[in-house]
Each structure stands twice: as structure tokens, then as C-alpha cells.
Coordinates of all heavy atoms in Angstrom, one line a residue:
Y1 N -5.0 6.9 0.6 CA -6.0 7.9 0.3 C -6.8 7.4 -0.9 O -6.4 6.5 -1.7 CB -5.3 9.2 -0.1 CG -4.5 9.2 -1.4 CD1 -5.1 9.5 -2.6 CD2 -3.1 8.8 -1.4 CE1 -4.4 9.4 -3.8 CE2 -2.4 8.7 -2.6 CZ -3.0 9.0 -3.8 OH -2.3 9.0 -5.0
W2 N -8.0 8.0 -1.0 CA -8.9 7.5 -2.1 C -8.7 8.3 -3.3 O -8.7 9.6 -3.3 CB -10.4 7.7 -1.6 CG -11.4 7.2 -2.7 CD1 -12.1 8.0 -3.5 CD2 -11.7 5.9 -3.0 NE1 -12.9 7.2 -4.4 CE2 -12.6 5.9 -4.0 CE3 -11.3 4.6 -2.4 CZ2 -13.1 4.7 -4.6 CZ3 -11.8 3.5 -3.0 CH2 -12.7 3.5 -4.0
D3 N -8.4 7.6 -4.4 CA -8.2 8.2 -5.7 C -9.5 8.1 -6.6 O -9.9 7.0 -7.0 CB -7.1 7.5 -6.5 CG -6.7 8.2 -7.7 OD1 -7.6 8.5 -8.6 OD2 -5.5 8.5 -7.9
D4 N -10.2 9.2 -6.8 CA -11.5 9.1 -7.5 C -11.3 8.6 -8.9 O -12.1 7.9 -9.5 CB -12.1 10.5 -7.5 CG -12.8 10.9 -6.2 OD1 -13.4 9.9 -5.6 OD2 -12.8 12.0 -5.8
D5 N -10.2 9.1 -9.6 CA -10.0 8.7 -11.0 C -9.8 7.2 -11.1 O -10.3 6.6 -12.1 CB -8.8 9.5 -11.6 CG -9.0 11.0 -11.7 OD1 -10.2 11.4 -11.8 OD2 -8.0 11.7 -11.7
Q6 N -9.1 6.6 -10.2 CA -8.8 5.2 -10.3 C -9.9 4.3 -9.5 O -9.9 3.1 -9.5 CB -7.4 4.9 -9.7 CG -6.3 5.5 -10.5 CD -5.0 5.1 -10.0 OE1 -4.6 4.0 -10.0 NE2 -4.2 6.1 -9.4
N7 N -10.7 5.0 -8.7 CA -11.8 4.4 -7.9 C -11.2 3.3 -7.0 O -11.6 2.2 -6.9 CB -12.8 3.8 -8.8 CG -14.1 3.4 -8.1 OD1 -14.5 4.1 -7.2 ND2 -14.6 2.2 -8.4
R8 N -10.1 3.7 -6.3 CA -9.5 2.8 -5.4 C -8.7 3.5 -4.3 O -8.4 4.7 -4.4 CB -8.5 1.8 -6.1 CG -7.2 2.5 -6.7 CD -6.4 1.5 -7.4 NE -5.2 2.1 -8.0 CZ -4.0 2.2 -7.4 NH1 -3.8 1.7 -6.2 NH2 -3.0 2.7 -8.0
W9 N -8.4 2.8 -3.2 CA -7.5 3.3 -2.2 C -6.0 3.1 -2.7 O -5.6 2.0 -3.1 CB -7.7 2.6 -0.9 CG -9.0 2.9 -0.2 CD1 -10.1 2.1 -0.2 CD2 -9.3 4.0 0.6 NE1 -11.1 2.7 0.5 CE2 -10.6 3.9 1.0 CE3 -8.6 5.2 0.9 CZ2 -11.2 4.9 1.8 CZ3 -9.2 6.1 1.7 CH2 -10.5 6.0 2.1
V10 N -5.2 4.2 -2.6 CA -3.8 4.1 -2.9 C -3.0 4.1 -1.6 O -3.2 4.9 -0.7 CB -3.4 5.3 -3.7 CG1 -1.9 5.3 -4.1 CG2 -4.2 5.4 -5.0
R11 N -2.1 3.1 -1.5 CA -1.4 3.0 -0.3 C 0.0 3.6 -0.4 O 0.7 3.3 -1.4 CB -1.2 1.5 0.1 CG -2.5 0.9 0.5 CD -2.4 -0.6 0.9 NE -3.7 -1.1 1.5 CZ -3.9 -2.3 1.9 NH1 -2.9 -3.2 1.8 NH2 -5.0 -2.6 2.5
V12 N 0.4 4.4 0.5 CA 1.6 5.2 0.5 C 2.4 4.9 1.8 O 1.9 5.0 2.9 CB 1.4 6.7 0.4 CG1 2.7 7.5 0.4 CG2 0.4 7.1 -0.7
D13 N 3.7 4.5 1.6 CA 4.6 4.4 2.8 C 5.1 5.8 3.1 O 6.2 6.1 2.6 CB 5.7 3.4 2.5 CG 6.5 3.0 3.8 OD1 6.5 3.9 4.7 OD2 7.1 2.0 3.8
T14 N 4.4 6.5 3.9 CA 4.8 7.9 4.2 C 6.2 8.0 4.7 O 6.9 8.9 4.3 CB 3.7 8.5 5.2 OG1 2.4 8.5 4.6 CG2 4.1 9.9 5.5
E15 N 6.5 7.1 5.6 CA 7.9 7.2 6.3 C 9.0 7.0 5.3 O 10.1 7.6 5.4 CB 8.0 6.2 7.4 CG 9.3 6.3 8.1 CD 9.4 5.3 9.3 OE1 8.5 4.5 9.5 OE2 10.5 5.3 9.9
H16 N 8.7 6.2 4.3 CA 9.8 5.7 3.4 C 9.7 6.2 2.0 O 10.4 5.6 1.1 CB 10.0 4.2 3.5 CG 10.3 3.7 4.8 ND1 9.5 2.9 5.6 CD2 11.4 3.9 5.6 CE1 10.0 2.7 6.8 NE2 11.2 3.3 6.8
L17 N 9.0 7.2 1.7 CA 9.0 7.8 0.4 C 10.4 8.2 0.0 O 11.1 8.8 0.8 CB 8.1 9.0 0.3 CG 6.6 8.7 0.2 CD1 5.8 10.0 0.4 CD2 6.2 8.1 -1.1
G18 N 10.8 8.0 -1.2 CA 12.1 8.4 -1.7 C 13.2 7.3 -1.4 O 14.4 7.5 -1.7
K19 N 12.8 6.3 -0.7 CA 13.8 5.2 -0.3 C 13.5 4.0 -1.3 O 12.5 4.0 -2.0 CB 13.7 4.8 1.1 CG 13.9 6.0 2.1 CD 13.8 5.6 3.5 CE 14.0 6.8 4.4 NZ 13.8 6.5 5.9
N20 N 14.5 3.1 -1.3 CA 14.4 2.1 -2.3 C 14.0 0.7 -1.8 O 14.4 -0.3 -2.3 CB 15.8 1.9 -3.0 CG 16.9 1.6 -2.1 OD1 16.7 1.4 -0.9 ND2 18.1 1.5 -2.6
Y21 N 13.2 0.7 -0.8 CA 12.7 -0.6 -0.3 C 11.8 -1.3 -1.3 O 11.8 -2.5 -1.5 CB 11.9 -0.4 1.0 CG 12.7 -0.1 2.2 CD1 12.6 1.2 2.8 CD2 13.6 -1.0 2.8 CE1 13.4 1.5 3.9 CE2 14.3 -0.7 3.9 CZ 14.2 0.6 4.5 OH 15.0 0.9 5.6
V22 N 11.0 -0.5 -2.0 CA 10.1 -1.0 -3.1 C 10.2 0.0 -4.3 O 10.7 1.1 -4.1 CB 8.6 -1.1 -2.6 CG1 8.5 -2.2 -1.6 CG2 8.1 0.3 -2.1
D23 N 9.7 -0.4 -5.4 CA 9.7 0.4 -6.6 C 8.8 1.6 -6.5 O 9.2 2.7 -6.9 CB 9.3 -0.4 -7.9 CG 10.3 -1.5 -8.2 OD1 11.5 -1.3 -7.9 OD2 9.9 -2.4 -8.9
R24 N 7.7 1.5 -5.9 CA 6.7 2.6 -5.8 C 6.2 2.8 -4.4 O 5.1 2.3 -4.1 CB 5.5 2.3 -6.7 CG 5.9 2.4 -8.2 CD 6.1 3.8 -8.7 NE 4.9 4.7 -8.4 CZ 3.8 4.8 -9.2 NH1 3.7 4.0 -10.3 NH2 2.9 5.6 -8.9
P25 N 7.0 3.4 -3.5 CA 6.4 3.6 -2.1 C 5.2 4.6 -2.1 O 4.5 4.6 -1.1 CB 7.6 4.2 -1.4 CG 8.5 4.8 -2.5 CD 8.3 3.9 -3.6
D26 N 5.0 5.3 -3.2 CA 3.9 6.2 -3.3 C 2.6 5.5 -3.8 O 1.5 6.0 -3.8 CB 4.2 7.3 -4.3 CG 4.5 6.8 -5.7 OD1 5.1 5.7 -5.9 OD2 4.1 7.4 -6.7
D27 N 2.8 4.2 -4.2 CA 1.6 3.4 -4.6 C 2.0 1.9 -4.4 O 2.4 1.2 -5.4 CB 1.3 3.7 -6.1 CG 0.0 3.0 -6.5 OD1 -0.6 2.3 -5.7 OD2 -0.3 3.1 -7.7
L28 N 2.0 1.5 -3.2 CA 2.4 0.1 -2.8 C 1.6 -0.9 -3.6 O 0.4 -0.9 -3.7 CB 2.3 -0.1 -1.3 CG 3.2 0.7 -0.4 CD1 2.8 0.6 1.0 CD2 4.7 0.4 -0.7
A29 N 2.4 -1.9 -4.1 CA 1.8 -3.0 -4.9 C 1.1 -4.0 -3.9 O 1.5 -4.1 -2.8 CB 2.8 -3.7 -5.7
P30 N 0.1 -4.7 -4.4 CA -0.5 -5.7 -3.5 C 0.5 -6.7 -3.0 O 1.4 -7.2 -3.6 CB -1.5 -6.5 -4.5 CG -1.8 -5.5 -5.6 CD -0.5 -4.7 -5.7
G31 N 0.4 -6.9 -1.7 CA 1.3 -7.8 -1.0 C 2.5 -7.2 -0.4 O 3.2 -7.8 0.5
E32 N 2.9 -6.0 -0.8 CA 4.0 -5.3 -0.2 C 3.7 -4.8 1.2 O 4.6 -4.8 2.0 CB 4.5 -4.1 -1.1 CG 5.1 -4.6 -2.4 CD 5.5 -3.4 -3.3 OE1 5.0 -2.3 -3.2 OE2 6.4 -3.7 -4.2
F33 N 2.5 -4.4 1.4 CA 2.0 -4.1 2.8 C 0.8 -4.9 3.0 O -0.1 -4.9 2.2 CB 1.7 -2.6 2.9 CG 1.1 -2.3 4.3 CD1 1.9 -2.1 5.4 CD2 -0.3 -2.2 4.4 CE1 1.3 -1.8 6.6 CE2 -0.9 -1.9 5.6 CZ -0.1 -1.7 6.7
L34 N 0.8 -5.7 4.1 CA -0.4 -6.4 4.5 C -1.0 -5.8 5.8 O -0.3 -5.6 6.8 CB -0.1 -7.9 4.8 CG 0.5 -8.7 3.6 CD1 0.8 -10.1 4.1 CD2 -0.6 -8.8 2.5
T35 N -2.3 -5.4 5.8 CA -2.9 -5.0 7.0 C -2.9 -6.2 8.0 O -2.7 -7.4 7.6 CB -4.4 -4.6 6.8 OG1 -5.1 -5.7 6.3 CG2 -4.4 -3.4 5.7
G36 N -3.2 -5.9 9.2 CA -3.3 -7.0 10.2 C -4.3 -8.0 9.8 O -4.0 -9.3 9.9
G37 N -5.4 -7.6 9.3 CA -6.4 -8.5 8.8 C -6.0 -9.4 7.6 O -6.3 -10.6 7.5
E38 N -5.3 -8.7 6.7 CA -4.9 -9.4 5.5 C -3.9 -10.5 5.9 O -3.9 -11.6 5.3 CB -4.3 -8.4 4.5 CG -5.3 -7.5 3.8 CD -4.8 -6.3 3.1 OE1 -3.5 -6.1 3.2 OE2 -5.5 -5.7 2.4
A39 N -3.0 -10.1 6.8 CA -2.0 -11.1 7.3 C -2.7 -12.3 8.0 O -2.3 -13.4 7.9 CB -0.9 -10.4 8.1
W40 N -3.7 -11.9 8.8 CA -4.4 -13.0 9.6 C -5.1 -14.0 8.6 O -5.0 -15.2 8.8 CB -5.4 -12.3 10.5 CG -6.2 -13.3 11.3 CD1 -7.4 -13.8 11.1 CD2 -5.7 -13.9 12.5 NE1 -7.8 -14.7 12.1 CE2 -6.8 -14.8 13.0 CE3 -4.6 -13.8 13.3 CZ2 -6.7 -15.5 14.2 CZ3 -4.5 -14.6 14.5 CH2 -5.5 -15.4 14.9
I41 N -5.7 -13.5 7.6 CA -6.4 -14.3 6.6 C -5.4 -15.3 6.0 O -5.6 -16.5 5.8 CB -7.1 -13.5 5.6 CG1 -8.4 -12.8 6.2 CG2 -7.6 -14.4 4.4 CD1 -9.0 -11.8 5.3
R42 N -4.2 -14.7 5.6 CA -3.2 -15.6 5.0 C -2.7 -16.6 6.0 O -2.4 -17.8 5.6 CB -2.0 -14.7 4.5 CG -2.4 -14.0 3.2 CD -1.4 -12.8 2.9 NE -1.6 -12.2 1.6 CZ -2.6 -11.4 1.3 NH1 -3.6 -11.1 2.2 NH2 -2.8 -10.9 0.1
Y43 N -2.5 -16.2 7.3 CA -2.1 -17.2 8.3 C -3.1 -18.3 8.5 O -2.8 -19.5 8.5 CB -1.9 -16.4 9.6 CG -2.1 -17.3 10.9 CD1 -1.3 -18.5 11.1 CD2 -3.0 -16.9 11.9 CE1 -1.5 -19.2 12.2 CE2 -3.2 -17.6 13.0 CZ -2.4 -18.8 13.2 OH -2.6 -19.6 14.3

């Protein structure tokens, strides 16, 4: 979702909120989730 105050898209792991896969599933850190395009560029 777009956060006007921070002027950025905030990534949320909706399925896994409240779980301990990452520190902040409500605000995924860079690299914790890669879009298909982001993974392709890295490949």
C-alpha cells in the first residue's frame, strides 16, 4: 500500500502477519520479498 507520509510503497506479507519468518511482516525489508522482475534482474 502507498504511505503518503513516507512517500513509498509499504510491503505487507498479508498471509504471515504475526508469524516470525521476518522481523516486520507488516513492512518487509528490501530483499525479503523479490518481485518476479526484481528476481529476474538479479538472475
Side-chain angles (χ1 to χ4, degrees):
Y1 69 92
W2 181 257
D3 187 309
D4 282 325
D5 293 335
Q6 300 183 63
N7 194 39
R8 68 180 178 95
W9 290 102
V10 178
R11 292 182 171 179
V12 182
D13 188 337
T14 298
E15 182 182 2
H16 297 116
L17 282 171
K19 300 179 183 177
N20 60 1
Y21 289 112
V22 292
D23 291 336
R24 292 285 306 275
D26 61 322
D27 187 2
L28 294 171
E32 290 181 335
F33 173 85
L34 298 176
T35 66
E38 289 166 351
W40 181 263
I41 289 171
R42 284 163 173 76
Y43 153 56

